[in-house]
């Protein structure tokens, strides 16, 4: 059984740590936040992620997973140390590597042995090489005679499905040479999913680092593309649902990530597209497709908000109910949420807004308060509709998809429905005497 240390008990670190333990490795998760470690030792998760608590409990009980706030202790006899710290977006769009370099420095200063350093965080191409150089400098200072081995092993976790995506990945990308000892170690750590037929892609660190940005940017482009097509359908009378279905049935395209909506958000796509554009600029390479996907995504939210404002204005109404604030269903995460962007824009346009989200109420209260936004939050999805002249569905939560349309109609004061996730049945909505506005949808009674 291999011994691993995971640095950073955030979202990626915790899921990876618990997942690697589930693969049969012995894992110590380290974090500088003592309070967080104490809570984790008591089974309290710092984030909400379906299945994570159970996975942590199961592996802790089995003696394969523990938590430490002392790095030297966590690194003791380790075969590999995974760095899973945040690499947030800098003001200029670049990835901020401050925490990552600090983690590398801490490893170099604290370790007695020479564990393989595995970078899980999303980092621009060239970072693994830079990290190896920095660690080697420290090793030299300490006269250890070690040469650092650094492997890029990017994570492709999807919020809300992170445990499943870790345990049953589409592929595992490992940046190292096939003939190196470190490659054997990495394959060993992932032998369980590999034995189950999951693909292991072994490549250079530069390739591994690029794959992560390429994957996220490609998906972002796919979403921006379908959103632009949806706007066109909205103007021409074509139906985006049918267009997307037909597109997706081409096996070369595939149906996933072709759902039109208010634009993509979250902690990855907006950040990673920008960072890739910055990297390309650095090398003098044209990355205009990705830049445009990102710019178009920004404009898209404003275009949709503008449509709501114009229609409400035309109808002489100003009370809007908003269902959904998180950047997608299944999470309370508000980072770069298109729902929040639209709420901010509509608030600035003078609308009175009352909002509800099944998971993000506390975070939303905080955010609105900090920004001095006078937006009312309602703890009940139907009560949010009282006095509302229009409803915006901004996140695709199941409870909205399955909402009782007659109850919606009778709870509201007005009759405008902006279904910006295309999850309601337009004909059903119209049958209650309401006006339906989706994103590029055409339906029978038009
Ligand atoms: C993404 C990647 O999927 C994952 O591989 C990577 O590791 C991190 O970034 P995540 O941010 O958790 O994961 O969310 P994802 O489910 O990919 O959705 C991102 C955004 O795109 C959301 O705002 C979502 O609503 C939007 N989206 C997604 C669409 O608008 N349409 C779609 O068809 C799919």
């Amino acid at each position: 059984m291999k011994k691993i240390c995971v640095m950073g008990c955030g979202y990626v670190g915790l899921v990876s740590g618990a997942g690697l333990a589930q693969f049969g490795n012995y894992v110590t998760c380290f974090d500088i936040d003592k309070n967080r470690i104490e809570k984790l030792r008591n089974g309290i998760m710092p984030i909400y992620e379906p299945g994570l608590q159970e996975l942590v409990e199961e592996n802790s009980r089995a003696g394969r997973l523990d938590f430490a706030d002392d790095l030297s202790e966590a690194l003791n006899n380790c075969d590999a140390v995974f760095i899973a710290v945040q690499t947030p977006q800098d003001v200029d769009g670049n990835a901020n590597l401050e925490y990552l370099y600090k983690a590398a420095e801490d490893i170099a200063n604290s370790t007695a042995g020479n564990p393989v350093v595995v970078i899980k965080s999303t980092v621009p191409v060239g970072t693994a090489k830079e990290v190896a150089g920095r660690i080697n400098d420290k090793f030299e200072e300490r006269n250890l005679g070690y040469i650092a081995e650094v492997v890029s092993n990017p994570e492709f976790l999807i919020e809300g499905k992170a445990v499943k995506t870790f345990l049953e990945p589409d592929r595992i990308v490992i940046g190292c040479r096939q003939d190196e000892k470190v490659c054997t170690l990495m394959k060993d750590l992932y032998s369980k999913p590999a034995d189950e037929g999951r693909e292991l892609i072994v490549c250079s660190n530069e390739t591994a680092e690029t794959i992560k940005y390429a994957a996220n940017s490609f998906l972002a482009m796919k979403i921006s593309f379908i959103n632009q097509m949806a706007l066109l359908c909205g103007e021409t009378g074509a139906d985006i649902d049918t267009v997307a279905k037909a597109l997706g049935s081409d096996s070369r395209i595939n149906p996933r990530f072709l759902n039109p909506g208010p634009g993509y958000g979250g902690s990855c796509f907006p950040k990673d597209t920008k960072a890739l554009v910055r990297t390309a600029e650095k090398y003098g390479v044209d990355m205009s497709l990705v830049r445009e996907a990102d710019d178009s995504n920004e404009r898209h939210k404003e275009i949709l908000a503008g449509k709501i404002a114009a229609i409400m204005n035309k109808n002489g109404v100003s009370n809007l109910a908003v269902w959904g604030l998180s950047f997608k269903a299944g999470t309370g995460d508000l980072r770069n949420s298109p729902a929040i962007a639209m709420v901010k824009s509509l608030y600035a346009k003078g609308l009175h807004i009352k909002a509800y989200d099944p998971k993000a109420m506390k975070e939303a209260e905080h955010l609105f308060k900090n920004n001095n936004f006078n937006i009312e939050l309602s703890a009940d999805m139907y009560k949010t509709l009282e006095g509302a002249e229009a409803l915006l569905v901004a996140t695709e939560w199941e409870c909205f998809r399955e909402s009782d349309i007659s109850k919606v109609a009778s709870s509201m004061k007005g009759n405008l429905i902006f279904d910006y996730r295309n999850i309601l049945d337009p004909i059903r909505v119209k049958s209650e005497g309401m006006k339906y506005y989706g994103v590029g949808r055409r339906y029978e009674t038009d």
Side-chain angles (χ1 to χ4, degrees):
M1 192 154 96
K2 297 294 177 204
K3 190 170 180 292
I4 297 172
C5 167
V6 176
M7 283 182 86
C9 290
Y11 181 70
V12 172
L14 259 187
V15 175
S16 306
L20 284 161
Q22 183 74 8
F23 291 159
N25 304 293
Y26 180 79
V27 181
T28 301
C29 289
F30 162 83
D31 202 290
I32 44 170
D33 184 341
K34 289 186 191 307
N35 186 31
R36 177 169 286 208
I37 292 298
E38 197 45 45
K39 282 188 171 158
L40 280 164
R41 282 181 178 145
N42 291 313
I44 303 166
M45 300 298 115
I47 49 160
Y48 166 75
E49 187 60 40
L52 180 61
Q53 173 114 25
E54 293 81 351
L55 195 70
V56 167
E57 279 169 6
E58 183 188 336
N59 284 282
S60 302
R61 260 200 314 272
R64 288 190 299 263
L65 180 65
D66 63 10
F67 299 94
D69 55 19
D70 181 304
L71 185 58
S72 326
E73 193 187 302
L75 287 171
N76 194 25
N77 286 324
C78 256
D79 297 290
V81 48
F82 282 66
I83 305 182
V85 296
Q86 51 172 328
T87 50
Q89 188 186 312
D90 248 344
V91 270
D92 59 1
N94 276 304
N96 179 336
L97 301 177
E98 188 188 327
Y99 303 103
L100 182 96
Y101 289 150
K102 175 76 173 66
E105 193 184 314
D106 288 349
I107 294 169
N109 283 330
S110 315
T111 185
N114 186 16
V116 171
V117 176
V118 185
I119 303 179
K120 265 269 163 238
S121 314
T122 301
V123 293
V125 60
T127 305
K129 211 174 185 174
E130 173 70 24
V131 165
R134 287 176 181 233
I135 296 177
N136 280 330
D137 287 349
K138 284 278 166 212
F139 280 171
E140 227 175 277
E141 266 175 40
R142 292 180 63 200
N143 276 324
L144 286 174
Y146 295 149
I147 305 270
E149 297 274 17
V150 179
V151 173
S152 165
N153 171 221
E155 202 34 72
F156 299 93
L157 298 184
I158 301 173
E159 271 191 56
K161 295 181 199 150
V163 169
K164 191 174 158 53
T165 25
F166 192 91
L167 298 179
E168 298 165 22
D170 285 343
R171 75 305 212 187
I172 297 155
V173 175
I174 300 173
C176 62
R177 286 213 341 239
Q178 281 283 7
D179 57 349
E180 284 169 340
K181 222 171 89 195
V182 40
C183 187
T184 314
L185 170 75
M186 292 302 295
K187 284 183 173 170
D188 205 1
L189 303 183
Y190 285 108
S191 58
K192 189 162 187 285
D195 290 347
E196 286 164 4
R198 305 281 157 189
E199 191 177 6
L200 284 190
I201 298 176
V202 176
C203 53
S204 71
N205 270 328
E206 287 75 13
T207 306
E209 289 162 339
T210 305
I211 289 170
K212 173 67 195 255
Y213 283 97
N216 277 356
S217 298
F218 191 81
L219 293 171
M221 285 198 303
K222 214 172 166 185
I223 298 167
S224 281
F225 176 81
I226 205 68
N227 282 338
Q228 287 196 342
M229 290 308 289
L231 291 184
L232 181 64
C233 288
E235 298 302 319
T236 60
D239 174 45
I240 193 62
D241 287 353
T242 316
V243 170
K245 191 169 168 222
L247 264 179
S249 67
D250 185 328
S251 59
R252 295 168 300 178
I253 297 176
N254 112 26
R256 296 174 68 195
F257 282 71
L258 282 179
N259 297 314
Y264 59 76
S267 62
C268 293
F269 289 173
K271 165 174 89 79
D272 295 349
T273 42
K274 287 181 187 69
L276 181 62
V277 169
R278 292 290 165 269
T279 300
E281 276 168 6
K282 191 171 138 195
Y283 289 92
V285 172
D286 176 22
M287 198 55 64
S288 46
L289 285 176
V290 177
R291 188 189 316 112
E292 188 46 35
D294 195 41
D295 289 350
S296 160
N297 190 57
E298 287 307 313
R299 289 194 300 271
H300 188 69
K301 294 177 263 188
E302 194 46 45
I303 291 171
L304 292 195
K307 282 180 188 281
I308 295 176
I311 293 168
M312 287 184 71
N313 195 24
K314 204 170 125 197
N315 284 272
V317 298
S318 62
N319 289 306
L320 175 71
V322 176
W323 273 1
L325 295 169
S326 58
F327 81 94
K328 64 174 188 179
T331 173
D333 198 340
L334 297 180
R335 283 176 292 177
N336 292 305
S337 170
I340 295 292
M342 287 192 295
V343 164
K344 281 184 175 176
S345 168
L346 292 165
Y347 179 75
K349 289 177 172 60
L351 296 186
H352 301 285
I353 300 173
K354 206 197 279 188
Y356 167 80
D357 187 281
K359 206 94 222 168
M361 295 300 264
K362 249 190 12 224
E363 293 83 350
E365 194 183 335
H366 221 71
L367 189 139
F368 294 146
K369 221 179 184 166
N370 286 347
N371 285 282
N372 279 328
F373 286 150
N374 186 14
I375 287 163
E376 204 181 320
L377 288 165
S378 164
D380 178 282
M381 74 184 238
Y382 291 102
K383 289 216 169 88
T384 319
L385 305 176
E386 285 169 10
E389 289 147 330
L391 165 65
L392 161 63
V393 182
T395 308
E396 75 283 21
W397 286 101
E398 216 42 44
C399 56
F400 303 149
R401 201 187 292 271
E402 285 164 4
S403 57
D404 178 345
I405 299 297
S406 346
K407 198 166 168 188
V408 170
S410 60
S411 306
M412 284 175 65
K413 189 175 159 200
N415 68 346
L416 304 174
I417 306 288
F418 299 96
D419 173 17
Y420 280 178
R421 289 284 182 171
N422 286 2
I423 56 173
L424 303 179
D425 176 356
I427 296 167
R428 180 78 194 88
V429 169
K430 288 186 99 174
S431 73
E432 292 288 340
M434 294 186 284
K435 286 190 182 152
Y436 178 88
Y437 303 91
V439 186
R441 273 175 133 184
R442 173 93 189 180
Y443 41 93
E444 265 169 52
T445 60
D446 266 4

